[in-house]
Each structure stands twice: as structure tokens, then as C-alpha cells.
Amino acid sequence: MPPSNGPGSCGPTPGQFEQWWGPPGYPVTVIDHDLRAGGRVTFFMAGPEGERHDSAWEVIAADPPRHLELRDADVDDDGTPNDGNAMTAMIITIDKRDGGGAVMAIRTHFDSLAGMEQVLAMGIEEGMRMVFSHIDAVLAGTPA
């Protein structure tokens, strides 16, 4: 993750995050951006039908550019977790590859089987494939 422009912050800048995280057709708007341990990132995705999907990340640990641990939840537009929505833990690692380049891995841990099933039913697998399909362009400064 490239360094942020924010004082003491780490990881992608809010603009890079907005270009990367939202799948096509769901642009992301960052509200708060503090990717330090103990920080919080709040953002929303706007859907093609005008719907709004708010999320919040609580940053547990950050060791840029190699490691980020966070808790993720869907929230109301005021930032409070929605009742009934599963909170997940994500661990993001970036490791150098022999011969150049890097490998990013995101491991997701769910609070319950029902929470995992809820997120799968919302289409998280397809959404993550779309998100990852354009990360190289974002990092190169030429988003698709």
C-alpha cells in the first residue's frame, strides 16, 4: 500500500482507495480516513439505482506497506453498525515475489456462519473479483 498524504496515516490515500475499492458501477466516497492502528475509515458506495452502502473499518494493526488488520461492518449513514449485519475481520498482507512484483492476500474472518452466508448472499465474491481486477492500474496511477 503506498503511503498516505495524511499526517501519521499509512496505506492508500483516500483518492486511491476510492479508485480501487468500489467495484465498477459502485463508486466509493471516503468520509474519514485514518489507517493507523486505532484509526477508523468510513466510506460509502453509491449503487447504480441510487442506493447507498455505508461501511466502517476499525483499524486494529497497521505496518505499511505489508500488513493491515481491521474490522469491517456495514453501518448507517451516521456510522453506527446496522442491526443484523455481520462484522468481519480482515487481514491484508502484501509480500514481495521472487523475481519482482508483489502478492496481496486478504483473509476474512466472520463472527458466525450466518454472517458469512449473509455476506456471500450479498455478492462479496463477485465484488472482490471486480475490485482486484483494477488494482494494478490504480497503483500505476492509471485507473480504468
Side-chain angles (χ1 to χ4, degrees):
M1 288 172 263
S4 166
N5 294 334
S9 192
C10 67
T13 65
Q16 288 170 319
F17 181 78
E18 289 175 345
Q19 293 169 10
W20 172 51
W21 194 251
Y26 288 82
V28 170
T29 299
V30 172
I31 300 166
D32 295 305
H33 184 267
D34 184 358
L35 275 175
R36 295 177 291 174
R40 184 175 171 94
V41 176
T42 56
F43 59 96
F44 67 90
M45 290 186 288
E49 304 293 322
E51 67 275 25
R52 178 174 161 152
H53 307 278
D54 289 82
S55 294
W57 287 0
E58 296 172 9
V59 181
I60 307 303
D63 181 19
R66 293 171 200 59
H67 185 85
L68 180 63
E69 291 183 40
L70 52 92
R71 302 262 305 154
D72 175 32
D74 288 336
V75 295
D76 293 328
D77 59 6
D78 67 358
T80 57
N82 290 323
D83 292 335
N85 283 320
M87 177 168 259
T88 60
M90 287 194 296
I91 299 172
I92 303 168
T93 56
I94 299 176
D95 294 309
K96 291 181 181 179
R97 284 190 332 196
D98 292 339
V103 174
M104 178 191 298
I106 298 180
R107 289 182 287 152
T108 305
H109 303 269
F110 297 90
D111 290 340
S112 67
L113 177 59
M116 182 182 76
E117 290 170 343
Q118 174 189 5
V119 173
L120 289 171
M122 291 168 52
I124 190 71
E125 288 180 278
E126 180 183 358
M128 291 302 285
R129 274 195 283 284
M130 287 189 244
V131 164
F132 281 114
S133 71
H134 60 275
I135 190 161
D136 288 335
V138 171
L139 291 175
T142 57

